[in-house]
Amino acid sequence: MCCSLDFLVHFAGDTLQPHAASILQAVAASISHPSDLVQTAALSVIEPLLPYMTDAQVPAFHALLGALLPCAQAALVAQNEDLLGHMCQVLVEVAECPAPLLQPCLQQVLEMCMTIATNKHFESNTREQALQLLQWMAKFKPKQLTRHKLLMCAIVEALCEMCCEPTPPDYDDAQELPPQKVAAQALDVLALSLNSQHVVPACWQFVQAAASSPDMHRRAAAMMVCAVSAEGCSEALRKRLPQVLPLLLTALQDPEGDVRGVAAFALGQFSEYLQPEILEHYTEVMPGVFRLLGDPNHDVQERACYALDAFCENLEPSEILPYMPQLVEQLLLVLQNGKPGVQEMALSAVSSIASAAQQAFQPHTAVMLPVLHHFMQHPGKEYLDCRCRAIESAGIIVGALGAEDPVISPHINGMMEVALQGFSLTDSPDLRDHSHAMFAHIAKALGEKFAGWLPRVVPLAFQSCNQEDGQVADVDDSDDIDDDDDIVSDDDDSEDHGGGRHFNVRTGVMDEKMSATAALGSYAKACPHAFMPYVEQTLSTLAGMSNYWHDEARAAAYDSLQKLTLAIHRVFTPSTSTSVAIAAAGPVVLSEQCRVLVEAAMPSLTSPVEDDVSKVAVTAAAAALGHLLKELGQGAVGPIHLEAAANMAKALLENKAMCQEAEDDDEEGDAGDDEELAAEDEELLAAAADLLPALALSMGQDAYAPVFRSLHVEPLIARLKPQQPIALRAIAAGAVAEVAEKLGARMAPVVPTLLPLLLRELQSSVSGL
């Protein structure tokens, strides 16, 4: 009967909808049947029924769940993995249904899933399936999940214990994840999706006990739990860093290579997400990483290079300088003797060290550049990632030291030729991505001397921007992990807000397009006169990229658009004598060529406040707009565009931009990503605040003073209220100060209102205000 129902529901669901309650009763009866074949057939009916579920059918479905749970218990006793796996798949489909089908039984359902997941006798795939519902609820219905506080604590504890399991002897990494990685993946999702208060206490209790366990699997699990909670629970872990870091540094010296490797991975995660507090411990961290660079275990070496890369990236030159000789020596040894995966991470570490050290890297360029050149032209497919990283490193070193450096200068032509050859010899989006970035670094270093390369690099940038994306597939998070290092990954992120331009899945082609878009702006800025033949096509390309589906590519387009406009402005600036006359007369008069660019650029930079849901993209647009207004000067931009810019600033200050309202509309969001959102809020408000003095300069004091009073004072007052976050109050106070500097005596009407708020901030004992 159930097989027939399955067929009928698939092909005549609309007709059967009035009978849904009766069908659910029949399915419930079949699920209680002693035959697992009948039970399986009954489960197959549920999924096609879900689109027809309304609130009227919810009670009948709850009765079905009442039959499903005893059936699951019996299957557990019978060790019927196939039936249990099928149940878990169906429950995820049920959770996705808009009707509240799981709510009254959610705790019992999750307890059943955790019982399956923690059963060591089951296959890894079955256990992974059992955790899918938990992960889905964490991502999309976190508030429903966190209502069950005791259950959540038990779940986190159980996942920590799963992390302790050794890899099964018959494990096939091509077919499945081992249990400890399945658990780590689930913990990662919980940490990213839920408020840290639901994750950190149980994790920390486990880590404290397991870190000193005589069992190496428990010690490794302690480090893995630290690693996967670093991103999602970064704020809570920052506060515990003085207690956690000693455990991690001790694990770096563990006699077992597996423990050392996971500890190095955890250190890399801490270095990425516990900024800036982790940097305060550089004198303790650096020696520990040095030891691992010479570790006999290649996996440990690779993760040590990753930790070094992440940690050194944000160090000050004075902090990294004492370690430079030993760093370079150790990395050269790895680059000469390591495996390709280790060498790739070592090359990435070279990039971070050069970026952090800046001029302090100069004594080491003579020994490093030949090594980079070797990897830049390595033909082996297994060395493609190394080739990309070497190109990246070369660009960063040129950018840090300048093209006039006597050691670097002779190598620049060779670097350019090798990277250009890669476009014709290798079809690799990653290689093209890093090559565009290197070209941009060299263009910045050479300035007008880069002009000779434009006929070769600009068409390549156009090709990259205009190529087809190919098929963008939805990302299945369950398949993201095939190594410890992939458990926490920022390479794949989805953000579906509806509408093509707001669906973000990171791909190699996307990165290539973003780098090419940014490179076009760098070329225009570096050698504006030589870039003139490419202006029209660049403008068209940037217009397309400003509507691209990924926010980082749109952000690059906005930045390049202002660079292109300013390049035109520099090329067609009036002669010196005319400039003096214009300055004496007052407002700037734009050339016809620049006016055309301004007319194209201004709407592209002001419209994102109304139609872009990404804070990253809107921040870039506001920053580009502010910079453009400042550089063009008073009177250069017409009143219609200035009105749009003033309204953009107002909307951002009032939290009424589309990207801000889209976040407010997310009713199911929990606080797991609060810190990331706070950082985005700060950057967005800072860009909006920078618009105010830019508007004062562009409009002039007399014109901007009434605009400031009517549009911007009240939002700034609201931002200065005590209940506002400290960082946002600081930005608002800084904006008031900058506007006051521009307006002078014209600030007088608003001083009585603003001064008490500013004095209160001055009296605040909170650091940073």
Side-chain angles (χ1 to χ4, degrees):
M1 180 187 73
C2 283
C3 292
S4 300
L5 279 176
D6 184 11
F7 178 83
L8 287 172
V9 172
H10 266 109
F11 294 100
D14 289 328
T15 304
L16 292 175
Q17 185 173 20
H19 308 286
S22 300
I23 294 173
L24 288 171
Q25 291 176 0
V27 172
S30 299
I31 283 177
S32 301
H33 194 279
S35 167
D36 58 356
L37 292 176
V38 175
Q39 292 169 344
T40 300
L43 289 172
S44 299
V45 178
I46 296 175
E47 184 180 345
L49 265 179
L50 294 176
Y52 307 103
M53 289 293 100
T54 65
D55 290 345
Q57 282 89 43
V58 169
F61 197 92
H62 291 168
L64 187 155
L65 284 178
L68 182 67
L69 290 170
C71 174
Q73 187 59 42
L76 278 166
V77 173
Q79 304 284 289
N80 189 336
E81 291 191 51
D82 291 339
L83 184 61
L84 290 169
H86 195 174
M87 285 183 183
C88 293
Q89 290 176 341
V90 169
L91 287 170
V92 174
E93 299 294 333
V94 170
E96 293 176 3
C97 184
L101 302 179
L102 282 182
Q103 280 185 9
C105 301
L106 180 61
Q107 178 164 341
Q108 296 95 312
V109 168
L110 287 172
E111 287 172 345
M112 180 265 291
C113 289
M114 290 307 299
T115 302
I116 299 170
T118 55
N119 191 316
K120 297 180 182 180
H121 299 293
F122 287 162
E123 296 290 333
S124 287
N125 282 339
T126 305
R127 301 174 72 180
E128 184 178 4
Q129 285 177 328
L131 292 174
Q132 293 306 305
L133 176 63
L134 172 68
Q135 295 180 60
W136 191 93
M137 294 295 298
K139 290 177 183 178
F140 302 109
K141 299 289 182 182
K143 289 184 179 179
Q144 291 186 26
L145 195 58
T146 54
R147 290 189 187 114
H148 305 281
K149 292 182 171 58
L150 293 177
L151 175 63
M152 283 308 306
C153 182
I155 286 173
V156 173
E157 290 173 352
L159 292 174
C160 288
E161 289 297 325
M162 277 185 71
C163 288
C164 300
E165 294 184 32
T167 301
D170 57 348
Y171 165 62
D172 180 1
D173 60 358
Q175 300 294 325
E176 60 185 2
L177 292 176
Q180 72 270 27
K181 291 186 180 180
V182 170
Q185 176 180 268
L187 269 178
D188 181 32
V189 172
L190 294 184
L192 288 168
S193 307
L194 308 181
N195 190 295
S196 60
Q197 66 180 342
H198 301 292
V199 179
V200 169
C203 284
W204 176 233
Q205 186 176 2
F206 169 79
V207 167
Q208 284 179 294
S212 58
S213 171
D215 183 347
M216 59 93 51
H217 298 295
R218 297 190 71 80
R219 298 197 304 274
M223 295 301 102
M224 182 54 68
V225 169
C226 289
V228 298
S229 57
E231 181 180 3
C233 301
S234 55
E235 184 63 31
L237 284 176
R238 279 197 189 97
K239 296 174 183 177
R240 296 179 187 264
L241 190 58
Q243 293 77 44
V244 181
L245 189 58
L247 301 178
L248 193 154
L249 295 175
T250 299
L252 292 178
Q253 305 177 61
D254 196 276
E256 297 291 340
D258 287 349
V259 180
R260 296 195 302 275
V262 182
F265 174 54
L267 179 59
Q269 293 289 287
F270 277 28
S271 301
E272 285 196 58
Y273 301 113
L274 305 192
Q275 296 282 350
E277 288 81 357
I278 185 72
L279 298 180
E280 297 171 6
H281 303 274
Y282 70 95
T283 57
E284 306 158 63
V285 170
M286 295 295 280
V289 177
F290 282 150
R291 282 191 294 271
L292 296 189
L293 288 175
D295 198 283
N297 186 314
H298 288 291
D299 290 338
V300 175
Q301 275 191 357
E302 182 175 349
R303 294 184 178 101
C305 290
Y306 159 64
L308 188 66
D309 178 18
F311 190 81
C312 291
E313 186 176 11
N314 295 294
L315 286 176
E316 294 294 326
S318 59
E319 294 169 336
I320 199 171
L321 183 59
Y323 303 100
M324 286 296 296
Q326 191 176 358
L327 270 174
V328 173
E329 179 184 355
Q330 291 285 343
L331 287 172
L332 283 171
L333 287 173
V334 173
L335 291 172
Q336 291 164 2
N337 304 311
K339 293 182 177 180
V342 182
Q343 290 171 325
E344 181 205 348
M345 292 308 305
L347 288 164
S348 185
V350 170
S351 298
S352 293
I353 292 165
S355 179
Q358 294 292 306
Q359 289 296 323
F361 195 82
Q362 201 282 333
H364 309 284
T365 53
V367 295
M368 189 58 71
L369 287 180
V371 177
L372 295 181
H373 195 269
H374 163 75
F375 282 106
M376 286 174 69
Q377 56 186 343
H378 201 298
K381 289 184 179 180
E382 71 275 20
Y383 283 91
L384 180 59
D385 290 337
C386 292
R387 192 173 170 185
C388 294
R389 292 299 182 184
I391 289 173
E392 175 189 55
S393 298
I396 289 172
I397 291 172
V398 174
L401 300 181
E404 301 303 320
D405 182 270
V407 177
I408 289 176
S409 182
H411 289 271
I412 287 180
N413 285 349
M415 292 177 184
M416 291 292 299
E417 291 293 350
V418 167
L420 285 165
Q421 289 171 12
F423 281 80
S424 58
L425 298 178
T426 308
D427 183 14
S428 167
D430 291 336
L431 189 63
R432 295 192 292 268
D433 165 27
H434 288 92
S435 296
H436 287 307
M438 189 193 79
F439 298 157
H441 279 296
I442 294 177
K444 180 179 178 181
L446 286 175
E448 290 284 1
K449 294 179 182 179
F450 190 77
W453 295 103
L454 290 182
R456 299 178 67 182
V457 300
V458 174
L460 294 176
F462 290 150
Q463 289 175 21
S464 291
C465 289
N466 296 326
Q467 69 177 311
E468 294 294 328
D469 287 305
Q471 183 176 0
V472 179
D474 195 5
V475 176
D476 181 356
D477 291 320
S478 66
D479 295 334
D480 284 349
I481 302 175
D482 41 40
D483 201 335
D484 284 337
D485 290 21
D486 295 327
I487 288 174
V488 177
S489 172
D490 56 5
D491 290 336
D492 296 314
D493 51 33
S494 59
E495 180 184 322
D496 189 355
H497 297 291
R501 71 179 292 189
H502 304 131
F503 180 65
N504 294 345
V505 178
R506 195 168 206 117
T507 67
V509 172
M510 190 290 293
D511 285 331
E512 177 190 347
K513 288 192 171 192
M514 182 178 66
S515 292
T517 302
L520 287 171
S522 297
Y523 303 154
K525 183 177 181 180
C527 35
H529 289 85
F531 196 78
M532 289 304 101
Y534 308 103
V535 168
E536 185 176 350
Q537 189 172 356
T538 299
L539 184 60
S540 174
T541 299
L542 295 181
M545 293 306 297
S546 68
N547 288 290
Y548 192 64
W549 53 264
H550 200 285
D551 58 357
E552 293 181 25
R554 298 197 299 276
Y558 299 143
D559 184 59
S560 288
L561 190 56
Q562 62 90 5
K563 288 178 179 174
L564 178 66
T565 305
L566 293 176
I568 297 291
H569 183 50
R570 286 195 293 274
V571 169
F572 294 100
T573 297
S575 64
T576 304
S577 59
T578 310
S579 296
V580 172
I582 290 173
V588 173
V589 177
L590 295 179
S591 66
E592 178 61 21
Q593 295 89 340
C594 188
R595 187 189 63 78
V596 171
L597 261 293
V598 169
E599 289 298 316
M602 289 298 293
S604 294
L605 296 179
T606 55
S607 62
V609 74
E610 298 177 346
D611 61 21
D612 199 317
V613 300
S614 166
K615 290 182 179 179
V616 171
V618 177
T619 297
L625 176 60
H627 187 71
L628 187 61
L629 294 178
K630 288 178 184 178
E631 291 298 313
L632 291 177
Q634 182 179 348
V637 177
I640 293 176
H641 298 313
L642 289 175
E643 181 182 0
N647 287 330
M648 179 183 194
K650 179 177 185 289
L652 292 171
L653 292 172
E654 291 180 335
N655 232 37
K656 291 183 178 179
M658 176 174 278
C659 61
Q660 295 162 319
E661 292 180 335
E663 177 189 312
D664 293 339
D665 291 341
D666 184 10
E667 297 179 358
E668 268 296 335
D670 204 344
D673 54 356
D674 277 355
E675 186 162 353
E676 181 180 348
L677 293 175
E680 289 182 355
D681 287 340
E682 290 175 26
E683 292 171 5
L684 184 57
L685 185 63
D690 287 343
L691 268 178
L692 305 188
L695 284 164
L697 188 154
S698 185
M699 298 175 74
Q701 294 176 327
D702 291 335
Y704 180 61
V707 173
F708 179 66
R709 292 194 297 270
S710 62
L711 295 184
H712 300 148
V713 169
E714 287 302 322
L716 285 171
I717 291 172
R719 291 290 190 177
L720 286 166
K721 290 181 178 179
Q723 58 267 38
Q724 285 286 307
I726 297 166
L728 301 189
R729 297 206 313 269
I731 293 169
V736 172
E738 289 196 53
V739 172
E741 184 179 1
K742 298 293 183 186
L743 295 185
R746 293 163 184 78
M747 279 286 288
V750 297
V751 167
T753 304
L754 290 171
L755 188 58
L757 302 175
L758 297 175
L759 290 173
R760 184 186 63 214
E761 298 303 334
L762 285 173
Q763 295 167 358
S764 173
S765 60
V766 180
S767 172
L769 285 178

